[in-house]
Amino acid sequence: MANETLAMIEANDWYAVRMDGFDAAIVGYVEAGVDNCVQLVYSFDECIAVLMDEMTEEEALDYFYFNCYPPSVPKDLGPPPLILETGELGQFTSG
C-alpha cells in the first residue's frame, strides 16, 4: 500500500511530511485541509516492525516513543503524519 499511496501523492502533486525510514509502514493518507497537502497515515505496528529489523521489541518501542511519537514537525513544513494504532476492542475501554 505504501508504494501506491506515495505514487498517488506524487501524481497529484500533493505535499506530505514523511517519517524517514518508515515508508513500509504507510497505510494511507487523509486530506489535511490545506491546499495540496495530505497527511500520511502510518501503522504503529508496522513502524515497530521496521525498527525490529535492527533491535528487540522493547528497544524498538523505547526508540519509537522517544524519537518518533508523536510526530513533531515545524509548522512551516505542514501538518504532521498520523500514527494509526489498532487493537482489540477491550484494549481501548476502561473498567
Side-chain angles (χ1 to χ4, degrees):
M1 168 136 344
N3 290 336
E4 296 88 2
T5 300
L6 293 173
M8 181 174 286
I9 289 169
E10 186 175 318
N12 287 292
D13 200 29
W14 295 334
Y15 175 77
V17 175
R18 291 165 69 173
M19 292 175 58
D20 190 33
F22 292 100
D23 283 357
I26 295 172
V27 294
Y29 67 92
V30 296
E31 292 183 22
V34 180
D35 289 339
N36 294 332
C37 282
V38 295
Q39 288 175 278
L40 288 171
V41 179
Y42 291 82
S43 163
F44 174 83
D45 292 338
E46 290 300 317
C47 287
I48 299 305
V50 166
L51 293 172
M52 286 178 59
D53 285 345
E54 298 182 18
M55 56 186 76
T56 67
E57 182 178 9
E58 184 177 344
E59 291 170 333
L61 288 166
D62 286 346
Y63 179 90
F64 191 77
Y65 280 122
F66 186 78
N67 296 293
C68 307
Y69 188 82
S72 177
V73 177
K75 289 185 180 190
D76 60 331
L77 290 181
L82 303 173
I83 308 296
L84 176 65
E85 294 188 54
T86 59
E88 295 181 19
L89 182 60
Q91 186 176 354
F92 298 107
T93 60
S94 60

